[in-house]
PDB file of all heavy atoms in Angstrom:
ATOM      1  N   ASN A   1     -19.337   1.605  -0.009  1.00 98.00           N
ATOM      2  CA  ASN A   1     -19.700   1.881   1.396  1.00 98.00           C
ATOM      3  C   ASN A   1     -18.664   2.774   2.060  1.00 98.00           C
ATOM      4  O   ASN A   1     -18.679   2.646   3.361  1.00 98.00           O
ATOM      5  CB  ASN A   1     -20.052   0.520   2.127  1.00 98.00           C
ATOM      6  CG  ASN A   1     -21.258  -0.235   1.597  1.00 98.00           C
ATOM      7  OD1 ASN A   1     -22.332   0.228   2.194  1.00 98.00           O
ATOM      8  ND2 ASN A   1     -21.052  -1.152   0.776  1.00 98.00           N
ATOM      9  N   ARG A   2     -17.894   3.555   1.479  1.00 98.00           N
ATOM     10  CA  ARG A   2     -16.978   4.379   1.894  1.00 98.00           C
ATOM     11  C   ARG A   2     -15.854   3.715   2.801  1.00 98.00           C
ATOM     12  O   ARG A   2     -15.506   4.290   3.817  1.00 98.00           O
ATOM     13  CB  ARG A   2     -17.585   5.590   2.687  1.00 98.00           C
ATOM     14  CG  ARG A   2     -18.447   6.361   1.565  1.00 98.00           C
ATOM     15  CD  ARG A   2     -19.201   7.556   2.347  1.00 98.00           C
ATOM     16  NE  ARG A   2     -18.519   8.782   2.081  1.00 98.00           N
ATOM     17  CZ  ARG A   2     -18.665   9.474   1.125  1.00 98.00           C
ATOM     18  NH1 ARG A   2     -19.423   9.146  -0.078  1.00 98.00           N
ATOM     19  NH2 ARG A   2     -18.106  10.635   0.891  1.00 98.00           N
ATOM     20  N   ARG A   3     -15.524   2.426   2.545  1.00 98.00           N
ATOM     21  CA  ARG A   3     -14.479   1.742   3.242  1.00 98.00           C
ATOM     22  C   ARG A   3     -13.256   1.581   2.268  1.00 98.00           C
ATOM     23  O   ARG A   3     -13.522   0.987   1.204  1.00 98.00           O
ATOM     24  CB  ARG A   3     -14.934   0.319   3.652  1.00 98.00           C
ATOM     25  CG  ARG A   3     -15.990   0.430   4.600  1.00 98.00           C
ATOM     26  CD  ARG A   3     -16.416  -1.043   5.186  1.00 98.00           C
ATOM     27  NE  ARG A   3     -16.786  -1.980   4.135  1.00 98.00           N
ATOM     28  CZ  ARG A   3     -18.009  -2.282   3.894  1.00 98.00           C
ATOM     29  NH1 ARG A   3     -18.972  -1.714   4.550  1.00 98.00           N
ATOM     30  NH2 ARG A   3     -18.233  -3.230   2.867  1.00 98.00           N
ATOM     31  N   PHE A   4     -12.078   2.091   2.652  1.00 98.00           N
ATOM     32  CA  PHE A   4     -10.938   1.947   1.719  1.00 98.00           C
ATOM     33  C   PHE A   4      -9.960   0.844   2.319  1.00 98.00           C
ATOM     34  O   PHE A   4      -9.452   0.867   3.372  1.00 98.00           O
ATOM     35  CB  PHE A   4     -10.176   3.216   1.578  1.00 98.00           C
ATOM     36  CG  PHE A   4      -9.120   3.185   0.396  1.00 98.00           C
ATOM     37  CD1 PHE A   4      -9.479   3.242  -0.853  1.00 98.00           C
ATOM     38  CD2 PHE A   4      -7.907   2.666   0.602  1.00 98.00           C
ATOM     39  CE1 PHE A   4      -8.660   3.132  -1.882  1.00 98.00           C
ATOM     40  CE2 PHE A   4      -6.945   2.624  -0.342  1.00 98.00           C
ATOM     41  CZ  PHE A   4      -7.350   2.728  -1.644  1.00 98.00           C
ATOM     42  N   PRO A   5      -9.818  -0.273   1.487  1.00 98.00           N
ATOM     43  CA  PRO A   5      -9.021  -1.253   1.914  1.00 98.00           C
ATOM     44  C   PRO A   5      -7.510  -1.067   1.883  1.00 98.00           C
ATOM     45  O   PRO A   5      -6.939  -0.491   0.912  1.00 98.00           O
ATOM     46  CB  PRO A   5      -9.326  -2.452   0.838  1.00 98.00           C
ATOM     47  CG  PRO A   5     -10.564  -2.023   0.091  1.00 98.00           C
ATOM     48  CD  PRO A   5     -10.441  -0.521   0.167  1.00 98.00           C
ATOM     49  N   VAL A   6      -6.860  -1.210   2.967  1.00 98.00           N
ATOM     50  CA  VAL A   6      -5.354  -0.975   3.033  1.00 98.00           C
ATOM     51  C   VAL A   6      -4.689  -2.236   3.370  1.00 98.00           C
ATOM     52  O   VAL A   6      -4.919  -2.872   4.443  1.00 98.00           O
ATOM     53  CB  VAL A   6      -5.088   0.129   4.066  1.00 98.00           C
ATOM     54  CG1 VAL A   6      -3.484   0.268   4.213  1.00 98.00           C
ATOM     55  CG2 VAL A   6      -5.728   1.455   3.659  1.00 98.00           C
ATOM     56  N   THR A   7      -3.776  -2.789   2.560  1.00 98.00           N
ATOM     57  CA  THR A   7      -2.996  -3.843   2.923  1.00 98.00           C
ATOM     58  C   THR A   7      -2.174  -3.717   4.065  1.00 98.00           C
ATOM     59  O   THR A   7      -1.506  -2.682   4.201  1.00 98.00           O
ATOM     60  CB  THR A   7      -1.991  -4.157   1.724  1.00 98.00           C
ATOM     61  OG1 THR A   7      -2.685  -4.326   0.570  1.00 98.00           O
ATOM     62  CG2 THR A   7      -1.301  -5.521   1.946  1.00 98.00           C
ATOM     63  N   TRP A   8      -2.339  -4.646   5.046  1.00 98.00           N
ATOM     64  CA  TRP A   8      -1.660  -4.432   6.440  1.00 98.00           C
ATOM     65  C   TRP A   8      -0.179  -4.545   6.235  1.00 98.00           C
ATOM     66  O   TRP A   8       0.561  -3.782   7.265  1.00 98.00           O
ATOM     67  CB  TRP A   8      -2.233  -5.265   7.490  1.00 98.00           C
ATOM     68  CG  TRP A   8      -1.683  -6.805   7.273  1.00 98.00           C
ATOM     69  CD1 TRP A   8      -2.312  -7.701   6.628  1.00 98.00           C
ATOM     70  CD2 TRP A   8      -0.537  -7.324   7.865  1.00 98.00           C
ATOM     71  NE1 TRP A   8      -1.516  -9.033   6.783  1.00 98.00           N
ATOM     72  CE2 TRP A   8      -0.490  -8.732   7.335  1.00 98.00           C
ATOM     73  CE3 TRP A   8       0.538  -6.889   8.750  1.00 98.00           C
ATOM     74  CZ2 TRP A   8       0.532  -9.633   7.872  1.00 98.00           C
ATOM     75  CZ3 TRP A   8       1.511  -7.688   9.026  1.00 98.00           C
ATOM     76  CH2 TRP A   8       1.500  -9.018   8.642  1.00 98.00           C
ATOM     77  N   TRP A   9       0.451  -5.144   5.486  1.00 98.00           N
ATOM     78  CA  TRP A   9       1.951  -5.533   5.522  1.00 98.00           C
ATOM     79  C   TRP A   9       2.653  -4.589   4.528  1.00 98.00           C
ATOM     80  O   TRP A   9       2.032  -4.118   3.545  1.00 98.00           O
ATOM     81  CB  TRP A   9       2.215  -6.936   5.212  1.00 98.00           C
ATOM     82  CG  TRP A   9       1.562  -7.394   3.817  1.00 98.00           C
ATOM     83  CD1 TRP A   9       0.483  -8.282   3.731  1.00 98.00           C
ATOM     84  CD2 TRP A   9       2.044  -7.469   2.586  1.00 98.00           C
ATOM     85  NE1 TRP A   9       0.249  -8.535   2.457  1.00 98.00           N
ATOM     86  CE2 TRP A   9       1.188  -8.142   1.660  1.00 98.00           C
ATOM     87  CE3 TRP A   9       3.163  -6.850   1.968  1.00 98.00           C
ATOM     88  CZ2 TRP A   9       1.300  -8.216   0.345  1.00 98.00           C
ATOM     89  CZ3 TRP A   9       3.362  -7.009   0.628  1.00 98.00           C
ATOM     90  CH2 TRP A   9       2.497  -7.583  -0.273  1.00 98.00           C
ATOM     91  N   ILE A  10       3.932  -4.379   4.737  1.00 97.00           N
ATOM     92  CA  ILE A  10       4.739  -3.435   3.988  1.00 97.00           C
ATOM     93  C   ILE A  10       5.852  -4.103   3.328  1.00 97.00           C
ATOM     94  O   ILE A  10       6.337  -5.248   3.807  1.00 97.00           O
ATOM     95  CB  ILE A  10       5.306  -2.304   4.850  1.00 97.00           C
ATOM     96  CG1 ILE A  10       5.793  -1.069   4.045  1.00 97.00           C
ATOM     97  CG2 ILE A  10       6.341  -2.790   5.763  1.00 97.00           C
ATOM     98  CD1 ILE A  10       6.098   0.174   4.819  1.00 97.00           C
ATOM     99  N   ARG A  11       6.208  -3.660   2.180  1.00 96.00           N
ATOM    100  CA  ARG A  11       7.299  -4.446   1.334  1.00 96.00           C
ATOM    101  C   ARG A  11       8.600  -4.534   2.148  1.00 96.00           C
ATOM    102  O   ARG A  11       8.897  -3.859   3.086  1.00 96.00           O
ATOM    103  CB  ARG A  11       7.520  -3.539   0.068  1.00 96.00           C
ATOM    104  CG  ARG A  11       8.241  -2.207   0.298  1.00 96.00           C
ATOM    105  CD  ARG A  11       8.184  -1.423  -0.798  1.00 96.00           C
ATOM    106  NE  ARG A  11       6.796  -0.872  -1.123  1.00 96.00           N
ATOM    107  CZ  ARG A  11       6.375  -0.105  -2.244  1.00 96.00           C
ATOM    108  NH1 ARG A  11       7.326   0.261  -3.155  1.00 96.00           N
ATOM    109  NH2 ARG A  11       5.277   0.358  -2.340  1.00 96.00           N
ATOM    110  N   ARG A  12       9.479  -5.472   1.609  1.00 96.00           N
ATOM    111  CA  ARG A  12      10.795  -5.774   2.345  1.00 96.00           C
ATOM    112  C   ARG A  12      11.898  -4.752   1.787  1.00 96.00           C
ATOM    113  O   ARG A  12      11.601  -4.057   0.755  1.00 96.00           O
ATOM    114  CB  ARG A  12      11.147  -7.173   1.879  1.00 96.00           C
ATOM    115  CG  ARG A  12      10.354  -8.285   2.280  1.00 96.00           C
ATOM    116  CD  ARG A  12      10.971  -9.614   2.052  1.00 96.00           C
ATOM    117  NE  ARG A  12      11.412  -9.640   0.661  1.00 96.00           N
ATOM    118  CZ  ARG A  12      10.553 -10.151  -0.289  1.00 96.00           C
ATOM    119  NH1 ARG A  12       9.382 -10.587  -0.050  1.00 96.00           N
ATOM    120  NH2 ARG A  12      11.050 -10.281  -1.559  1.00 96.00           N
ATOM    121  N   PRO A  13      12.902  -4.569   2.508  1.00 96.00           N
ATOM    122  CA  PRO A  13      13.937  -3.572   2.087  1.00 96.00           C
ATOM    123  C   PRO A  13      14.337  -3.802   0.683  1.00 96.00           C
ATOM    124  O   PRO A  13      14.721  -2.833  -0.070  1.00 96.00           O
ATOM    125  CB  PRO A  13      14.991  -3.752   3.117  1.00 96.00           C
ATOM    126  CG  PRO A  13      14.339  -4.328   4.290  1.00 96.00           C
ATOM    127  CD  PRO A  13      13.273  -5.172   3.693  1.00 96.00           C
ATOM    128  N   ASP A  14      14.508  -5.089   0.179  1.00 94.00           N
ATOM    129  CA  ASP A  14      14.904  -5.373  -1.244  1.00 94.00           C
ATOM    130  C   ASP A  14      13.889  -5.007  -2.326  1.00 94.00           C
ATOM    131  O   ASP A  14      14.044  -5.096  -3.462  1.00 94.00           O
ATOM    132  CB  ASP A  14      15.406  -6.790  -1.388  1.00 94.00           C
ATOM    133  CG  ASP A  14      14.147  -7.729  -1.207  1.00 94.00           C
ATOM    134  OD1 ASP A  14      13.658  -7.623  -0.009  1.00 94.00           O
ATOM    135  OD2 ASP A  14      13.885  -8.457  -2.018  1.00 94.00           O
ATOM    136  N   GLN A  15      12.675  -4.525  -1.830  1.00 93.00           N
ATOM    137  CA  GLN A  15      11.564  -4.175  -2.690  1.00 93.00           C
ATOM    138  C   GLN A  15      11.264  -2.655  -2.682  1.00 93.00           C
ATOM    139  O   GLN A  15      10.250  -2.339  -3.212  1.00 93.00           O
ATOM    140  CB  GLN A  15      10.369  -4.941  -2.302  1.00 93.00           C
ATOM    141  CG  GLN A  15      10.476  -6.448  -2.418  1.00 93.00           C
ATOM    142  CD  GLN A  15       9.177  -7.283  -1.849  1.00 93.00           C
ATOM    143  OE1 GLN A  15       8.728  -6.831  -0.757  1.00 93.00           O
ATOM    144  NE2 GLN A  15       8.803  -8.243  -2.578  1.00 93.00           N
ATOM    145  N   LEU A  16      12.223  -1.917  -2.311  1.00 90.00           N
ATOM    146  CA  LEU A  16      11.880  -0.510  -2.047  1.00 90.00           C
ATOM    147  C   LEU A  16      11.621   0.234  -3.374  1.00 90.00           C
ATOM    148  O   LEU A  16      10.628   1.094  -3.422  1.00 90.00           O
ATOM    149  CB  LEU A  16      13.138   0.266  -1.454  1.00 90.00           C
ATOM    150  CG  LEU A  16      13.593   0.024  -0.107  1.00 90.00           C
ATOM    151  CD1 LEU A  16      14.734   0.924   0.347  1.00 90.00           C
ATOM    152  CD2 LEU A  16      12.319   0.556   0.864  1.00 90.00           C
ATOM    153  N   ASP A  17      12.221  -0.193  -4.505  1.00 86.00           N
ATOM    154  CA  ASP A  17      11.973   0.540  -5.796  1.00 86.00           C
ATOM    155  C   ASP A  17      10.874  -0.132  -6.597  1.00 86.00           C
ATOM    156  O   ASP A  17      10.422   0.584  -7.548  1.00 86.00           O
ATOM    157  CB  ASP A  17      13.316   0.560  -6.454  1.00 86.00           C
ATOM    158  CG  ASP A  17      14.293   1.419  -5.948  1.00 86.00           C
ATOM    159  OD1 ASP A  17      13.966   2.526  -5.264  1.00 86.00           O
ATOM    160  OD2 ASP A  17      15.519   1.145  -5.917  1.00 86.00           O
ATOM    161  N   TYR A  18      10.519  -1.279  -6.283  1.00 83.00           N
ATOM    162  CA  TYR A  18       9.441  -1.910  -7.137  1.00 83.00           C
ATOM    163  C   TYR A  18       8.766  -3.129  -6.421  1.00 83.00           C
ATOM    164  O   TYR A  18       9.452  -3.885  -5.816  1.00 83.00           O
ATOM    165  CB  TYR A  18       9.897  -2.382  -8.467  1.00 83.00           C
ATOM    166  CG  TYR A  18       8.962  -3.014  -9.276  1.00 83.00           C
ATOM    167  CD1 TYR A  18       7.934  -2.206  -9.989  1.00 83.00           C
ATOM    168  CD2 TYR A  18       8.763  -4.455  -9.441  1.00 83.00           C
ATOM    169  CE1 TYR A  18       6.966  -2.895 -10.854  1.00 83.00           C
ATOM    170  CE2 TYR A  18       7.852  -4.983 -10.244  1.00 83.00           C
ATOM    171  CZ  TYR A  18       6.763  -4.300 -10.819  1.00 83.00           C
ATOM    172  OH  TYR A  18       5.865  -4.822 -11.536  1.00 83.00           O
ATOM    173  N   LEU A  19       7.459  -3.131  -6.511  1.00 83.00           N
ATOM    174  CA  LEU A  19       6.652  -4.169  -6.004  1.00 83.00           C
ATOM    175  C   LEU A  19       5.438  -4.553  -6.938  1.00 83.00           C
ATOM    176  O   LEU A  19       4.886  -3.467  -7.449  1.00 83.00           O
ATOM    177  CB  LEU A  19       6.114  -3.891  -4.539  1.00 83.00           C
ATOM    178  CG  LEU A  19       5.390  -4.978  -3.733  1.00 83.00           C
ATOM    179  CD1 LEU A  19       6.365  -6.005  -3.450  1.00 83.00           C
ATOM    180  CD2 LEU A  19       4.817  -4.472  -2.426  1.00 83.00           C
ATOM    181  N   SER A  20       5.280  -5.685  -7.294  1.00 79.00           N
ATOM    182  CA  SER A  20       4.274  -5.967  -8.373  1.00 79.00           C
ATOM    183  C   SER A  20       2.730  -5.768  -7.960  1.00 79.00           C
ATOM    184  O   SER A  20       1.791  -5.876  -8.720  1.00 79.00           O
ATOM    185  CB  SER A  20       4.458  -7.378  -8.977  1.00 79.00           C
ATOM    186  OG  SER A  20       4.291  -8.364  -7.888  1.00 79.00           O
ATOM    187  N   GLU A  21       2.531  -5.473  -6.553  1.00 87.00           N
ATOM    188  CA  GLU A  21       1.244  -5.531  -6.037  1.00 87.00           C
ATOM    189  C   GLU A  21       1.141  -4.476  -4.988  1.00 87.00           C
ATOM    190  O   GLU A  21       2.100  -3.952  -4.540  1.00 87.00           O
ATOM    191  CB  GLU A  21       0.831  -6.824  -5.578  1.00 87.00           C
ATOM    192  CG  GLU A  21       1.700  -7.385  -4.368  1.00 87.00           C
ATOM    193  CD  GLU A  21       1.609  -8.873  -4.263  1.00 87.00           C
ATOM    194  OE1 GLU A  21       0.559  -9.398  -4.180  1.00 87.00           O
ATOM    195  OE2 GLU A  21       2.694  -9.629  -4.288  1.00 87.00           O
ATOM    196  N   PRO A  22      -0.116  -3.976  -4.704  1.00 91.00           N
ATOM    197  CA  PRO A  22      -0.180  -3.000  -3.570  1.00 91.00           C
ATOM    198  C   PRO A  22       0.315  -3.519  -2.309  1.00 91.00           C
ATOM    199  O   PRO A  22      -0.081  -4.592  -1.859  1.00 91.00           O
ATOM    200  CB  PRO A  22      -1.682  -2.693  -3.615  1.00 91.00           C
ATOM    201  CG  PRO A  22      -2.106  -3.110  -4.946  1.00 91.00           C
ATOM    202  CD  PRO A  22      -1.332  -4.308  -5.268  1.00 91.00           C
ATOM    203  N   ASP A  23       0.956  -2.626  -1.541  1.00 96.00           N
ATOM    204  CA  ASP A  23       1.292  -2.907  -0.142  1.00 96.00           C
ATOM    205  C   ASP A  23       0.892  -1.782   0.729  1.00 96.00           C
ATOM    206  O   ASP A  23       0.189  -0.927   0.246  1.00 96.00           O
ATOM    207  CB  ASP A  23       2.795  -3.209   0.035  1.00 96.00           C
ATOM    208  CG  ASP A  23       3.674  -1.928  -0.161  1.00 96.00           C
ATOM    209  OD1 ASP A  23       3.236  -1.010  -0.792  1.00 96.00           O
ATOM    210  OD2 ASP A  23       4.724  -1.830   0.521  1.00 96.00           O
ATOM    211  N   LEU A  24       1.189  -1.873   2.062  1.00 97.00           N
ATOM    212  CA  LEU A  24       0.714  -0.644   2.918  1.00 97.00           C
ATOM    213  C   LEU A  24       1.294   0.726   2.455  1.00 97.00           C
ATOM    214  O   LEU A  24       0.406   1.650   2.481  1.00 97.00           O
ATOM    215  CB  LEU A  24       1.280  -0.935   4.294  1.00 97.00           C
ATOM    216  CG  LEU A  24       0.801  -0.065   5.444  1.00 97.00           C
ATOM    217  CD1 LEU A  24       0.705  -0.779   6.817  1.00 97.00           C
ATOM    218  CD2 LEU A  24       1.815   1.051   5.696  1.00 97.00           C
ATOM    219  N   PHE A  25       2.386   0.674   2.000  1.00 97.00           N
ATOM    220  CA  PHE A  25       2.957   2.083   1.672  1.00 97.00           C
ATOM    221  C   PHE A  25       2.129   2.568   0.434  1.00 97.00           C
ATOM    222  O   PHE A  25       1.685   3.714   0.354  1.00 97.00           O
ATOM    223  CB  PHE A  25       4.423   2.100   1.207  1.00 97.00           C
ATOM    224  CG  PHE A  25       4.902   3.388   0.929  1.00 97.00           C
ATOM    225  CD1 PHE A  25       5.242   4.327   1.921  1.00 97.00           C
ATOM    226  CD2 PHE A  25       5.190   3.860  -0.345  1.00 97.00           C
ATOM    227  CE1 PHE A  25       5.692   5.588   1.681  1.00 97.00           C
ATOM    228  CE2 PHE A  25       5.652   5.044  -0.694  1.00 97.00           C
ATOM    229  CZ  PHE A  25       5.877   6.003   0.358  1.00 97.00           C
ATOM    230  N   HIS A  26       1.909   1.801  -0.635  1.00 96.00           N
ATOM    231  CA  HIS A  26       1.107   2.252  -1.830  1.00 96.00           C
ATOM    232  C   HIS A  26      -0.252   2.663  -1.270  1.00 96.00           C
ATOM    233  O   HIS A  26      -0.759   3.748  -1.706  1.00 96.00           O
ATOM    234  CB  HIS A  26       1.092   1.081  -2.808  1.00 96.00           C
ATOM    235  CG  HIS A  26       0.044   1.403  -3.875  1.00 96.00           C
ATOM    236  ND1 HIS A  26       0.348   2.219  -5.017  1.00 96.00           N
ATOM    237  CD2 HIS A  26      -1.203   1.092  -4.025  1.00 96.00           C
ATOM    238  CE1 HIS A  26      -0.734   2.278  -5.819  1.00 96.00           C
ATOM    239  NE2 HIS A  26      -1.647   1.673  -5.136  1.00 96.00           N
ATOM    240  N   ASP A  27      -0.914   1.828  -0.642  1.00 97.00           N
ATOM    241  CA  ASP A  27      -2.294   1.948  -0.335  1.00 97.00           C
ATOM    242  C   ASP A  27      -2.515   3.242   0.635  1.00 97.00           C
ATOM    243  O   ASP A  27      -3.289   4.240   0.360  1.00 97.00           O
ATOM    244  CB  ASP A  27      -2.851   0.809   0.461  1.00 97.00           C
ATOM    245  CG  ASP A  27      -3.220  -0.403  -0.446  1.00 97.00           C
ATOM    246  OD1 ASP A  27      -3.121  -0.134  -1.738  1.00 97.00           O
ATOM    247  OD2 ASP A  27      -3.284  -1.496   0.020  1.00 97.00           O
ATOM    248  N   LEU A  28      -1.656   3.339   1.684  1.00 97.00           N
ATOM    249  CA  LEU A  28      -1.768   4.370   2.690  1.00 97.00           C
ATOM    250  C   LEU A  28      -1.198   5.740   2.318  1.00 97.00           C
ATOM    251  O   LEU A  28      -1.942   6.732   2.325  1.00 97.00           O
ATOM    252  CB  LEU A  28      -1.252   3.830   4.067  1.00 97.00           C
ATOM    253  CG  LEU A  28      -1.482   4.740   5.358  1.00 97.00           C
ATOM    254  CD1 LEU A  28      -3.016   4.878   5.500  1.00 97.00           C
ATOM    255  CD2 LEU A  28      -0.881   4.038   6.504  1.00 97.00           C
ATOM    256  N   PHE A  29      -0.069   5.710   1.904  1.00 97.00           N
ATOM    257  CA  PHE A  29       0.690   6.933   1.372  1.00 97.00           C
ATOM    258  C   PHE A  29       0.048   7.525   0.134  1.00 97.00           C
ATOM    259  O   PHE A  29      -0.262   8.637  -0.142  1.00 97.00           O
ATOM    260  CB  PHE A  29       2.204   6.639   1.166  1.00 97.00           C
ATOM    261  CG  PHE A  29       2.927   7.835   0.855  1.00 97.00           C
ATOM    262  CD1 PHE A  29       3.570   8.688   1.759  1.00 97.00           C
ATOM    263  CD2 PHE A  29       3.009   8.336  -0.512  1.00 97.00           C
ATOM    264  CE1 PHE A  29       4.395   9.831   1.422  1.00 97.00           C
ATOM    265  CE2 PHE A  29       3.798   9.329  -0.795  1.00 97.00           C
ATOM    266  CZ  PHE A  29       4.411  10.183   0.121  1.00 97.00           C
ATOM    267  N   GLY A  30      -0.359   6.495  -0.827  1.00 97.00           N
ATOM    268  CA  GLY A  30      -0.707   6.952  -2.136  1.00 97.00           C
ATOM    269  C   GLY A  30      -2.174   7.308  -2.237  1.00 97.00           C
ATOM    270  O   GLY A  30      -2.445   8.265  -2.950  1.00 97.00           O
ATOM    271  N   HIS A  31      -3.007   6.522  -1.626  1.00 97.00           N
ATOM    272  CA  HIS A  31      -4.441   6.614  -1.902  1.00 97.00           C
ATOM    273  C   HIS A  31      -5.128   7.538  -0.813  1.00 97.00           C
ATOM    274  O   HIS A  31      -6.065   8.354  -1.166  1.00 97.00           O
ATOM    275  CB  HIS A  31      -5.112   5.292  -1.780  1.00 97.00           C
ATOM    276  CG  HIS A  31      -5.096   4.521  -3.122  1.00 97.00           C
ATOM    277  ND1 HIS A  31      -5.699   4.867  -4.215  1.00 97.00           N
ATOM    278  CD2 HIS A  31      -4.297   3.377  -3.334  1.00 97.00           C
ATOM    279  CE1 HIS A  31      -5.502   3.882  -5.103  1.00 97.00           C
ATOM    280  NE2 HIS A  31      -4.494   3.014  -4.712  1.00 97.00           N
ATOM    281  N   VAL A  32      -4.763   7.401   0.515  1.00 98.00           N
ATOM    282  CA  VAL A  32      -5.547   7.895   1.474  1.00 98.00           C
ATOM    283  C   VAL A  32      -5.663   9.446   1.555  1.00 98.00           C
ATOM    284  O   VAL A  32      -6.708   9.935   1.930  1.00 98.00           O
ATOM    285  CB  VAL A  32      -5.149   7.295   2.845  1.00 98.00           C
ATOM    286  CG1 VAL A  32      -5.891   7.881   4.014  1.00 98.00           C
ATOM    287  CG2 VAL A  32      -5.444   5.788   2.705  1.00 98.00           C
ATOM    288  N   PRO A  33      -4.682  10.178   1.289  1.00 98.00           N
ATOM    289  CA  PRO A  33      -4.719  11.664   1.541  1.00 98.00           C
ATOM    290  C   PRO A  33      -5.744  12.307   0.834  1.00 98.00           C
ATOM    291  O   PRO A  33      -6.545  13.246   1.359  1.00 98.00           O
ATOM    292  CB  PRO A  33      -3.400  12.186   1.122  1.00 98.00           C
ATOM    293  CG  PRO A  33      -2.405  11.053   1.487  1.00 98.00           C
ATOM    294  CD  PRO A  33      -3.170   9.838   1.071  1.00 98.00           C
ATOM    295  N   LEU A  34      -6.064  11.936  -0.392  1.00 98.00           N
ATOM    296  CA  LEU A  34      -7.165  12.495  -1.197  1.00 98.00           C
ATOM    297  C   LEU A  34      -8.540  12.161  -0.747  1.00 98.00           C
ATOM    298  O   LEU A  34      -9.492  12.804  -1.141  1.00 98.00           O
ATOM    299  CB  LEU A  34      -6.951  12.191  -2.738  1.00 98.00           C
ATOM    300  CG  LEU A  34      -5.932  13.001  -3.441  1.00 98.00           C
ATOM    301  CD1 LEU A  34      -5.905  12.653  -4.876  1.00 98.00           C
ATOM    302  CD2 LEU A  34      -6.146  14.525  -3.172  1.00 98.00           C
ATOM    303  N   LEU A  35      -8.637  11.091   0.041  1.00 98.00           N
ATOM    304  CA  LEU A  35      -9.939  10.761   0.610  1.00 98.00           C
ATOM    305  C   LEU A  35     -10.476  11.854   1.631  1.00 98.00           C
ATOM    306  O   LEU A  35     -11.623  11.776   2.083  1.00 98.00           O
ATOM    307  CB  LEU A  35      -9.947   9.314   1.226  1.00 98.00           C
ATOM    308  CG  LEU A  35      -9.726   8.223   0.189  1.00 98.00           C
ATOM    309  CD1 LEU A  35      -9.734   6.825   1.128  1.00 98.00           C
ATOM    310  CD2 LEU A  35     -10.930   8.184  -0.613  1.00 98.00           C
TER     311      LEU A  35
END
C-alpha cells in the first residue's frame, strides 16, 4: 500500500558501528531516498 515503516527511535552512541536490528538511521537514511 506504498507505506514504508520507519522505526521512530535511533541507536545509542555506543551502538554507532553496529546494531542487530533496524533503527531510524538505517530505515530513513538507508531506505527512503530510493523511494
Side-chain angles (χ1 to χ4, degrees):
N1 289 283
R2 301 179 97 83
R3 299 187 299 261
F4 192 80
V6 176
T7 305
W8 73 267
W9 52 266
I10 196 165
R11 67 194 72 181
R12 300 187 305 269
D14 62 303
Q15 298 171 314
L16 286 181
D17 292 324
Y18 179 74
L19 189 65
S20 63
E21 58 201 310
D23 72 334
L24 183 145
F25 183 76
H26 169 84
D27 289 343
L28 191 54
F29 182 97
H31 280 287
V32 173
L34 283 183
L35 291 175

